[in-house]
Amino acid sequence: MRLSKQERAIDTRRKVLIGALVLHRLENGDHASSSRPFLEWLQRELPKFLIREGDRELFDDLLKPHGQEQSPKDDNIAS
C-alpha cells in the first residue's frame, strides 16, 4: 500500500514524537529503577532493528555499556 503525502507526513511526525519521548525518558528517567528495564530492552532490540552501519553509529552512546567504549586500536592488539 502506498501512502499519500499527508499520510507519510503524519507517519514521520509520529515516529519523531515517539523517538523524542524515548530519548527524554532515557535522559531524564531514573535509570536505577523504572527506566532500567526499558534501557535494557532497547539495548537488546535496537541492534536487531538497525540494519545500516551509519544508523547504528547514531546510537553508539545508548548501545555501548558505559565505560566500555572501544577504540579502533583495541581491535588490533597482537598477543
Side-chain angles (χ1 to χ4, degrees), residues 22-47:
V22 168
L23 291 173
H24 173 78
R25 185 75 181 266
L26 291 172
E27 291 168 359
N28 299 307
D30 178 6
H31 295 292
S33 61
S34 63
S35 293
R36 189 73 192 159
F38 178 70
L39 178 60
E40 290 169 354
W41 175 83
L42 195 60
Q43 289 173 329
R44 186 175 59 250
E45 296 298 323
L46 196 55

